């Protein structure tokens, strides 16, 4: 029995020993991490102001006082910022800044309005459109005002912000997208009318009403247009023999490049008639001039009738390939495509024979600029090539037509649903700015993932994107530090515009420069509080001379081998020897050959170094504790009296019986139902818990405000005298309790009670009660009415002034253009008419 007892005692000692080893190991790891963080301060190696602010968390001191010893680049938040030698007004520490410019509410819900219009509920403010589209709707055959054109719909929020960012600091903003109900749709059907597409044209004519009815079931604000194309009317694309130019094939009309047959309209019967009456034509080679047609259909916004706020669909139907930039040289056309609109009054492309085909990148650029979704509806044998083309044109898709285009309605419907149920965010930022998109989309798991694309979106669904921006590098050209970034959903003419300013340099690097300054021994420029020396001078004030040696030889003795920093980052290497920084407090000393030691960077407890001189001393950055104290900050003691609540004598009631006493402080218990808190774990969050607010309420009222139910004698017996403060705040969240009340006069007051280090009850009470005040409503109403009247008059005067200036400028511009008009001959200088020579070999002439 005795042996078993001894064995259990040995096991207990072994366990205690292992527990102690683990405890000290954890403390050692934490200590090493803290020291490593201190020695790897990224600011100490930054020698100029722009290098300093390009490093996150660093600030620059450009004070001209004590230029030999002032620490210029430093971390204000770690651990003791060197502000003691720098005037706070001379510190440059720019912060990220965002200003909201336009933040109109989303069009989340719609209600039926009068006169066939629509009212969007929840709309507030004014939308800031990202596009530059401003064409009129005349000739479109579709009325209804701005709302019918989608002008009052907002699907992206916010619309514009101004942002200032420091380099290498991530900054996140939120962007919201919703698909508005009954959003307008413009569908322009661009068809290849070469001879091989004749049966497709007839089928499209028969299905015109069905196509319009199907789309109107999705949105009542639907407009339909039609255009056709063949190819450039030059050899070798089209036969230029006069007879073939008039009729290249049986039942064909003269060839042409592109023609806008019907501007976008709601007249579906007219669409069917236009398609039916359109005649096919013919050309020589298999590829067609579809790129010319796409470019004109995209950029001729007024002539086509594209609305500003609408989902724009361009259906491109063909059974052949396409010509692209460079092919025009075969016909002697070398002028590049200018991306401009060249349609005459009849809708024909006038520059077809004078300009080359556009390139794929040009098509992509103008499709993105005008927010158009291109749908390639092609036959089976051409699907592969247009599928590859789709990958290079943003927002485009590809579908397979049947041999006679009988499935065109189903194809367009399918592609439109795929486009409208998906949102994909893009941006146009330069390589200097890294942009990432994060979203939970509409996933049920509510988990945020890195993605710029969300699917399965329905009308009214709200999708949030978190946009993370980071300036990864400062541009070499200072003019590039200002950028206008557009973040937009593909295929929609709405976006978030970010006016970005990169904070990459300091104002002091451009202002107040002193060239060959006496402060730099006349061998350098004094700026931002430092000297920029001219070779071969060096040193903080250019006081040293290399004398033919390199800088590394002169500063080798100053490098601390443990961290690789010159003078450990806390001194200046003066001609090969460290001069440590002098602290304002004479008791704080930096020492060592490389300034590696100090007596003030040890851990602190409650603002005191090593918990105060009675607990320990700081020696070369490490606390050496006195007797009865231990820990990295010498704050841990074995005495448990500090864990007893005042008035409690029972030693078993440490921490009110609701916690554990560790190092003289209570560690409170917690579980799933709640937790205990307070200096003595005397408070809790459980259902049946209560505090002492009501207990101290009457005393606070009588002593602080001379109110309440206590008599003067009872008030004098209160166990405390409150301290008056202007604003009552909880400083120590674990030990202080906030008590807010309303008294019988309906006045609000609050106070905080806690126990100090000597376990005495302390109370801080609000200086004055907050009582309700009367409001002079009549004056406010009259002031608002007067302000509205004056503002209206000012707006009318401004409008009249602007219209007068605009009319005068337009008239002057008209007169100037009339004087400079010139005729264009329209001749091709390198084209010559073919000649024919006939000879009869049997004719021998006259005898």
């Amino acid at each position: 029995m005795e042996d078993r007892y001894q064995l259990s005692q040995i096991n207990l000692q072994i366990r205690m020993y292992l527990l102690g080893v683990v405890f000290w190991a954890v403390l050692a790891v934490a200590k090493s991490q803290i020291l490593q963080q201190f020695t790897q301060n990224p600011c100490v190696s930054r020698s100029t102001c722009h290098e300093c602010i390009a490093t996150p968390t660093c600030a620059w001191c450009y004070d001209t006082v004590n230029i030999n010893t002032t620490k210029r680049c430093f971390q204000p938040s770690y651990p003791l910022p060197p502000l003691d030698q720098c005037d706070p007004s001379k510190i440059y520490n720019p912060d990220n800044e965002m200003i909201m410019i336009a933040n109109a509410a989303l069009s989340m819900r719609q209600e039926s309005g009068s006169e066939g219009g629509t009212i969007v509920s929840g709309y507030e403010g004014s939308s800031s459109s990202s596009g530059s589209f401003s064409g009129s709707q005349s000739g479109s055959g579709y009325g209804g005002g701005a709302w019918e054109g989608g002008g009052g719909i907002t699907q992206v929020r916010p619309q514009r912000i101004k942002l200032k960012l420091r380099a290498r600091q991530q900054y996140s903003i939120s962007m919201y997208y919703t698909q508005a109900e009954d959003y307008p749709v413009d569908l322009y059907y661009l068809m290849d009318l070469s001879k091989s597409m004749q049966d497709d044209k007839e089928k499209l004519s028969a299905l015109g009403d069905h196509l319009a009815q199907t789309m109107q079931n999705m949105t009542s604000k639907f407009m339909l247009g039609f255009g056709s194309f063949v190819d450039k009317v030059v050899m070798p694309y089209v036969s230029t023999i006069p007879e073939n130019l008039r009729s290249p094939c049986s039942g064909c009309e003269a060839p042409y490049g592109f023609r806008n047959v019907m501007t976008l309209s709601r007249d579906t019967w007219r669409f069917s008639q236009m398609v039916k009456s359109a005649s096919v034509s013919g050309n020589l080679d298999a590829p067609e001039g579809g790129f010319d047609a796409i470019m004109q259909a995209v950029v001729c916004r007024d002539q086509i009738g594209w609305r500003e706020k609408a989902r724009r669909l361009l259906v491109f139907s063909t059974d052949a390939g396409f010509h692209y930039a460079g092919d025009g040289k075969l016909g002697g056309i070398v002028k590049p495509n200018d991306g401009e609109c060249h349609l005459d009054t009849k809708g024909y492309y006038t520059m077809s024979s004078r300009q080359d085909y556009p390139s794929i990148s040009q098509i992509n650029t103008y499709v993105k600029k005008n927010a158009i979704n291109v749908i390639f509806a092609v036959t089976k044998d051409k699907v592969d090539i247009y599928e590859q083309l789709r990958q290079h044109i943003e927002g485009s898709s590809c579908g397979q037509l049947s041999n006679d285009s009988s499935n065109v309605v189903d194809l367009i419907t399918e592609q439109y649903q795929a486009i409208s149920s998906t949102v994909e965010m893009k941006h146009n930022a330069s390589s200097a700015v890294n942009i990432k998109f994060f979203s939970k989309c509409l996933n049920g798991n509510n988990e945020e993932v890195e993605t710029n694309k969300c699917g399965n979106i329905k009308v009214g669904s709200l999708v949030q994107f978190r946009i993370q921006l980071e300036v990864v590098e400062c541009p070499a050209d200072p003019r590039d530090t200002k950028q206008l970034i557009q973040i937009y959903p593909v295929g929609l003419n709405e976006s978030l515009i970010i006016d970005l300013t990169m904070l990459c340099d300091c104002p002091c690097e451009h202002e107040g420069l002193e060239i060959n300054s006496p402060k730099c021994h006349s061998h350098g420029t004094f700026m931002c509080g430092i000297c920029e020396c001219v070779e071969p001078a060096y040193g903080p004030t250019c006081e040293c001379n290399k004398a033919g040696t390199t800088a590394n030889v002169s500063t080798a003795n100053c490098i601390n081998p443990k961290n690789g920093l010159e003078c450990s980052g806390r001194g200046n290497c003066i001609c090969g020897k460290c001069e440590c920084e002098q602290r304002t407090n004479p008791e704080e000393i930096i020492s060592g050959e490389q300034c590696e030691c100090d007596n003030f960077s040890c851990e602190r407890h409650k603002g005191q170094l090593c918990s105060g001189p009675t607990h320990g001393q700081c020696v070369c950055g490490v606390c050496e504790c006195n007797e009865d104290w231990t820990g990295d900050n010498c704050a841990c003691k074995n005495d448990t009296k500090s864990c007893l609540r005042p008035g409690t004598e029972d030693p078993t009631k440490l921490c009110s019986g609701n916690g554990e006493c560790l190092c003289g402080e209570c560690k409170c218990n917690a579980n799933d139902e709640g937790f205990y808190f307070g200096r003595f774990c005397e408070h809790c969050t459980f259902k049946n818990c209560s505090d002492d607010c009501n207990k101290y309420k009457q005393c606070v009222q009588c002593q602080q405000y001379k109110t309440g139910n206590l008599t003067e004698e009872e008030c004098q017996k209160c166990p405390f005298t409150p301290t008056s403060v202007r604003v009552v705040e909880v400083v120590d969240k674990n030990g202080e309790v906030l008590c807010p009340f309303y008294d019988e006069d309906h006045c609000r007051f609050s106070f905080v009670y806690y126990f100090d280090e000597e376990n005495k009850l302390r109370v801080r009470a609000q200086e004055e009660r907050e009582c309700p005040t009367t409001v002079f409503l009549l004056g406010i109403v009259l002031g608002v009415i007067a302000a509205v009247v004056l503002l209206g008059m000012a707006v009318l005067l401004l409008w009249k002034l602007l219209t007068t200036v605009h009319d005068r400028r337009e008239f002057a511009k008209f007169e100037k253009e009339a004087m400079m008009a010139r005729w264009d001959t329209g001749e091709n200088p390198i084209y010559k008419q073919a000649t024919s020579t006939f000879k009869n070999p049997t004719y021998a002439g006259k005898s």
Side-chain angles (χ1 to χ4, degrees), residues 481-543:
T481 57
K482 294 183 179 294
Q483 293 188 11
L484 195 66
I485 299 177
Q486 183 182 28
I487 300 177
Y488 57 93
V490 174
L492 287 178
N493 194 27
E494 297 184 62
S495 63
L496 166 61
I497 303 296
I498 301 178
D499 297 303
L500 177 64
T501 300
M502 306 179 194
L503 303 176
C504 290
D505 57 5
C506 305
C508 61
E509 293 179 325
H510 308 284
E511 303 172 356
L513 306 183
E514 298 180 22
I515 302 175
N516 295 327
S517 173
K519 300 175 182 177
C520 305
H521 290 80
S522 301
H523 286 85
T525 301
F526 184 74
M527 63 179 182
C528 295
I530 62 172
C531 289
E532 184 175 338
C533 302
V534 178
E535 294 285 348
Y538 73 99
T541 58
C542 309
E543 70 278 31

Side-chain angles (χ1 to χ4, degrees), residues 191-427:
M191 190 174 188
D192 175 9
L193 282 189
S194 58
K195 182 66 175 179
S196 59
M197 292 288 289
Q198 185 170 1
D199 56 340
D200 302 79
K201 179 187 77 70
E202 295 172 357
K203 181 61 66 175
L204 177 62
S205 175
L207 295 175
D209 290 334
H210 179 43
L211 171 62
Q213 184 61 42
T214 302
M215 294 301 297
Q216 285 176 348
N217 291 336
M218 302 179 186
T219 172
S220 62
K221 302 170 183 61
F222 172 68
M223 296 179 67
L224 194 61
F226 176 69
S228 61
F229 65 92
V230 182
D231 210 342
K232 294 183 181 298
V233 190
V234 295
M235 285 289 290
Y237 316 112
V238 172
S239 174
T240 55
I241 298 175
E243 293 182 0
N244 292 339
L245 287 176
R246 290 190 296 270
S247 179
C249 53
S250 177
C252 297
E253 70 173 1
Y256 55 90
F258 163 73
R259 181 188 178 190
N260 176 30
V261 181
M262 174 184 169
T263 301
L264 288 167
S265 170
R266 297 189 70 181
D267 191 351
T268 57
W269 179 86
R270 181 166 169 258
F271 174 82
S272 299
Q273 293 301 313
M274 284 291 186
V275 175
K276 184 177 181 180
S277 61
S279 300
V280 296
S281 186
N283 59 332
L284 296 179
D285 61 339
E288 312 291 5
F291 274 19
D292 274 344
I294 292 177
M295 179 63 76
Q296 292 303 299
V298 169
V299 300
C300 296
R301 300 175 298 189
D302 293 350
Q303 291 85 343
I304 301 300
W306 296 115
R307 289 175 289 181
E308 181 176 5
K309 285 293 185 71
R311 189 177 291 276
R312 307 169 186 171
L313 304 180
L314 177 62
V315 181
F316 181 85
S317 176
T318 185
D319 64 347
F322 49 85
H323 285 295
Y324 52 90
D327 287 356
K329 294 181 180 179
L330 297 175
I333 301 174
V334 296
K335 183 179 180 180
N337 194 286
D338 60 5
E340 299 290 337
C341 179
H342 299 285
L343 297 185
D344 60 15
T345 56
K346 295 182 179 180
Y348 285 96
Y349 178 33
T350 59
M351 298 294 288
S352 175
S353 301
R354 301 178 186 179
Q355 286 190 161
D356 195 6
Y357 302 95
S359 65
I360 296 177
S361 64
Q362 277 183 301
I363 294 291
N364 181 52
T365 298
Y366 286 94
V367 163
K368 288 195 301 181
K369 181 179 180 180
N370 293 276
I372 293 179
N373 293 105
V374 181
I375 301 175
F376 295 109
V378 297
T379 54
K380 181 178 180 181
D381 58 331
K382 298 299 179 183
V383 169
D384 290 339
I385 185 172
Y386 281 93
E387 188 67 29
Q388 297 180 38
L389 176 62
R390 176 192 67 80
Q391 299 175 6
H392 299 282
I393 298 180
E394 183 177 287
S396 63
S397 57
C398 182
Q400 181 177 329
L401 278 175
S402 58
N403 292 332
D404 59 351
S405 298
S406 59
N407 68 330
V408 64
V409 177
D410 294 336
L411 188 150
I412 294 175
T413 303
E414 178 184 350
Q415 295 298 326
Y416 171 75
Q417 291 176 344
I419 292 171
S420 60
S421 63
T422 302
V423 58
E424 182 180 6
M425 292 297 176
K426 293 283 188 177
H427 65 85

Side-chain angles (χ1 to χ4, degrees), residues 87-149:
D87 184 356
S89 63
K90 299 297 180 64
I91 295 176
Y92 186 66
N93 184 22
D95 197 6
N96 298 329
E97 179 183 354
M98 185 188 76
I99 301 176
M100 191 70 65
I101 304 299
N103 190 27
L106 296 172
S107 304
M108 297 294 294
R109 181 173 62 86
Q110 297 184 358
E111 302 172 353
S112 298
S114 60
E115 300 180 3
T118 307
I119 301 174
V120 180
S121 64
Y123 182 84
E124 59 188 26
S126 60
S127 176
S128 176
S129 176
S130 62
S132 58
F133 185 87
S134 59
S136 65
Q137 300 296 328
S138 60
S140 65
Y142 185 62
W147 169 248
E148 293 285 0

Side-chain angles (χ1 to χ4, degrees), residues 784-810:
V784 171
I785 293 175
V788 171
V789 172
L790 292 176
L791 182 61
M793 295 177 63
V795 170
L796 289 175
L797 291 175
L798 180 61
W799 171 80
K800 181 62 179 176
L801 176 62
L802 292 177
T803 53
T804 302
V805 174
H806 178 268
D807 291 344
R808 291 181 178 178
R809 289 181 177 177
E810 290 297 322

